[in-house]
């Protein structure tokens, strides 16, 4: 077993009814990596993340987490409890609940002392001061970028070892895109958090990621250090 992997996926296949969507996928996310999953729309990026989170079943293959644990057959809640934080595409915060309540949902899923809960809340507020300022506002009243920050803040209530972000910059203002890039770099550097993100914007991927993998029609067709993402690969698999 490779102890240097935070997640190691081997031979993963997935079907939506009759439609074969992921094909014999292998993916190794080393501990401490910032791995960017790339590919055009409909290539299977979100499907792969959902299989990893246990939100949809894989048909075959193996997902080894944190060196030893086989995740297939483990519920999504349990995977979260093992330290996998997930920020879904489209964010999916609770729009009727306040910002504070959204964070509390994450915190109360864990059995923490009040002191620990306060400490974590203060940490999340220090990363996202806007969430403190807007604590009483309904999630649905925030801007897209603020909702994204809330969704990331909520994922951090788990104190994850692995943070998964599905298109965190989709539909948000450029200044917040930049802040989210900074945040990913900071969490990775300061906490050693391993990050797996889907991102289609090349400048963001090049700035934030350490490694990349490209999906094309459900197959991993190229991977490497982010510096090896050539214009040729971009032309072939990423531009429309
Ligand atoms: N719930 C679903 N049922 C059936 N087909 C789906 C479902 N979700 C996604 N698909 C299909 O699976 C393929 C991969 O989708 P997805 O993983 O969302 O791609 P990406 O995230 O790369 O844009 C697409 O062809 C999409 O239409
Ligand atoms: Mg997607």
């Amino acid at each position: 077993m490779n102890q240097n992997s935070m997640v190691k996926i081997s031979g993963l296949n997935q079907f939506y009814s009759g439609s074969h969507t992921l094909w014999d996928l292998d993916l190794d996310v080393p501990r401490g990596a910032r791995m960017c999953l790339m590919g055009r729309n409909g290539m299977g990026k979100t499907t792969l993340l959902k299989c990893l989170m246990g939100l949809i079943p894989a048909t075959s293959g193996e997902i080894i987490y944190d060196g030893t644990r086989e995740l297939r057959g483990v519920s999504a809640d349990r995977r979260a409890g093992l330290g996998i934080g997930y920020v879904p595409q489209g964010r999916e915060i609770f729009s009727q609940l306040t910002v504070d309540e959204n964070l509390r949902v994450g915190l109360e899923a864990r059995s923490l002392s009040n002191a620990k809960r306060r400490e974590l809340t203060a940490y999340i507020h220090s990363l996202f001061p806007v969430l403190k300022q807007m604590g009483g506002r309904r999630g649905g009243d925030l801007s897209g970028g603020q909702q994204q920050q809330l969704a990331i803040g909520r994922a951090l209530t788990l104190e994850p070892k692995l943070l998964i972000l599905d298109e965190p910059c989709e539909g948000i203002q450029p200044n917040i895109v930049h802040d989210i890039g900074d945040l990913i770099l900071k969490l990775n550097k300061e906490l050693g958090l391993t990050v797996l993100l889907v991102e289609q914007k090349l400048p963001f991927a090049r700035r934030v990621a350490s490694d990349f993998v490209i999906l094309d029609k459900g197959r991993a067709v190229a991977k490497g250090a982010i510096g090896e993402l050539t214009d040729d690969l971009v032309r072939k698999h990423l531009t429309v």
Side-chain angles (χ1 to χ4, degrees), residues 94-116:
F94 299 107
S95 57
Q96 300 299 326
L97 300 185
T98 65
V99 168
D100 286 344
E101 287 164 345
N102 267 277
L103 292 178
R104 231 177 286 144
V105 169
L107 289 165
E108 284 171 7
R110 308 178 61 200
S111 44
L112 300 174
S113 67
N114 287 334
K116 178 70 187 174

Side-chain angles (χ1 to χ4, degrees), residues 71-231:
L71 288 185
R72 285 188 62 220
V74 175
S75 73
D77 282 352
R78 190 83 194 92
R79 293 186 204 200
L82 292 171
I84 309 181
Y86 176 57
V87 181
Q89 190 167 13
R91 311 183 266 273
E92 298 179 18
I93 55 147
F94 299 107
S95 57
Q96 300 299 326
L97 300 185
T98 65
V99 168
D100 286 344
E101 287 164 345
N102 267 277
L103 292 178
R104 231 177 286 144
V105 169
L107 289 165
E108 284 171 7
R110 308 178 61 200
S111 44
L112 300 174
S113 67
N114 287 334
K116 178 70 187 174
R117 206 172 282 178
R118 277 196 300 273
E119 182 194 314
L120 252 175
T121 305
Y123 178 64
I124 292 165
H125 284 160
S126 75
L127 296 173
F128 304 109
V130 69
L131 298 184
K132 185 169 187 184
Q133 287 154 26
M134 303 186 101
R137 298 275 284 275
R138 287 185 340 144
D141 294 337
L142 304 186
S143 73
Q146 291 163 345
Q147 289 186 11
Q148 188 66 52
Q149 291 172 310
L150 177 56
I152 297 171
R154 190 178 61 185
L156 293 177
T157 61
L158 281 173
E159 298 182 277
K161 295 180 196 172
L162 170 66
L163 181 63
I164 298 175
L165 304 148
D166 195 347
E167 305 219 21
C169 303
E170 202 179 24
I172 66 178
Q173 325 66 303
N175 62 323
I176 297 187
V177 169
H178 199 269
D179 288 352
I180 288 173
D182 286 348
L183 178 84
I184 291 170
L185 291 167
K186 177 184 162 89
L187 294 172
N188 175 254
K189 188 165 175 220
E190 292 182 2
L191 307 179
L193 186 65
T194 304
V195 179
L196 173 60
L197 81 155
V198 169
E199 185 48 60
Q200 305 216 36
K201 291 186 188 75
L202 273 171
F204 187 89
R206 287 207 156 104
R207 180 165 87 94
V208 170
S210 58
D211 299 87
F212 74 96
V213 52
I214 299 178
L215 291 196
D216 203 331
K217 299 195 182 73
R219 290 182 165 87
V221 293
K223 57 184 75 171
I226 195 72
E228 295 164 2
L229 178 59
T230 59
D231 292 346

